[in-house]
Amino acid sequence: MPIHELYAIRYGYHPDGHTDAEMAFGGDPTVRVEGMDFFIWLIVTDQGKPIVVDTGFFPGLAERIGHAPLINPADGVRMAGFDPAAVQDVIITHAHYDHTGNLGDFPNARFHMGATEMASVTGPLMTHPATRAGFGKRDVKTLVGFVYEDRMRFLDDEDEVFPGIRSFILPGHTTGQLALEVDTARGPVIVASDAVHLYSELETERPFPVFHDMGAMIMSYRKLKARAARPDLIVPGHDADVTRRYPALAPEFEGKIIRLDRAPLAG
Ligand SMILES: [Zn+2]
């Protein structure tokens, strides 16, 4: 059974924090809380091959809505020791702007994306401004272009992306939100991406306030908890605590490249 390495690359953050209501449905709009972090993920296979998961927000766009870039996601991949132009595979967990913003930085990659998500972002649901909020026209057009260039492989629910890397759908945040289960030295770690933004969604079932279907999102929290052998095998997509809970790849990468395939730090 192949055992892979798994990193989170923290490429951005939200410096001004959020209101509690921006972080949970029914939250307190008068209380300010720590802002979200933004990650892409990097799998280094047992063969030493990099597989990039998501491509992050486009810096110019995100700065307009208060996100601060720390590094260009492709530069994060470079820091971890891999040339983005040599990356052959990029998995897209869902099509929101902060996960598909720099697709062109991986010019030689084949993309792997949920068929359900692609059908959703090119279908009737996108005819309303509220349901298409969060998706970028430029990014979706680029993804459709990959289909016509033979650079897109579609994933189904409960699919094997590569040996030791499985995808499954956790609907609710978006229609086709994918999570990835990666076999690592500490067990199968689930990159929940935005099926779970924050640890509190799992711990107290506080629903994140951005969703396609809140009921489905809550059921997805439960499906995820039932699947993971231990809570620490689930990694949320935007919690600033991820960086504090896991060791850095090396001291110089503190706060930027985090090892999710290592045991959580004590305390
Ligand atoms: Zn996101």
Side-chain angles (χ1 to χ4, degrees), residues 38 94 96 98-99 173 194 197 237-238:
F38 293 82
H94 65 304
H96 272 163
D98 56 321
H99 298 258
H173 175 61
D194 290 6
H197 288 66
H238 284 279

